[in-house]
Amino acid sequence: MPKRGKKYQEVAKLVDPSQAYSPEEAVALVKKTSYAKFDATVEVHLRMGLDPRKADQQIRATVKLPNGTGREVRVLVFAEGEDQKAALDAGADYAGTDEYVEKIQGGWFDFDVSVATPSVMSKVGRLGKVLGPRGLMPSPKAGTVVPGSDVGRVVSELKAGRVEFRLDKTANIHTPIGRAGFTEEQ
């Protein structure tokens, strides 16, 4: 068994592993037991008891957190013309098509989420082998392939703290819900 540090051993005494805590008690306990020198991320992990191999038991959705995740999200929007302007006005960090396709093919990945309009998906589709394994490829299921009229709304939601969650291959869901430095209400 690994030897634990002094700080860990102190806060481990506050947690009873045999007890099931209510969400309010769990949040208070997270704030009390956070000993890191940085603002740690608070995550939720759910054991769903489903079979991820069956298509009718898949879970995949997005949720907009009221106070965000406490992290700055860099958004790249693949769009042209008016849609590109709307994306930049909504707060997108990068917007365009051909120049960003070339940069990504050259190894540039300085963004966290990518959004695309259906009209440019033929160009973005070439990046599937590069963006797909990193989880950065725009997808209609994830809500990141949107018509031009919705680009601004989606970019605003992503900047405000929209997170995607999905069932993994072990039938669990893992997603961040905030920071240890948030208040208990947040």
Side-chain angles (χ1 to χ4, degrees), residues 69-138:
T69 59
R71 184 170 172 249
E72 186 65 34
V73 178
R74 298 167 298 179
V75 179
L76 166 65
V77 178
F78 293 105
E80 295 174 336
E82 287 296 317
D83 300 339
Q84 180 179 353
K85 185 178 180 318
L88 290 171
D89 290 344
D93 297 295
Y94 313 102
T97 306
D98 296 326
E99 66 272 17
Y100 289 108
V101 169
E102 290 174 18
K103 282 176 82 172
I104 290 169
Q105 286 173 337
W108 177 77
F109 298 104
D110 195 23
F111 56 96
D112 301 312
V113 181
S114 62
V115 178
T117 58
S119 60
V120 298
M121 277 305 288
S122 59
K123 297 176 183 178
V124 177
R126 291 182 260 157
L127 301 173
K129 289 182 180 174
V130 180
L131 295 178
R134 290 179 169 85
L136 297 173
M137 185 71 181

Side-chain angles (χ1 to χ4, degrees), residues 52-66:
R53 294 171 297 188
K54 295 193 166 129
D56 64 334
Q57 295 185 25
Q58 288 293 321
I59 296 175
R60 182 175 187 169
T62 59
V63 64
K64 184 175 178 254
L65 299 174

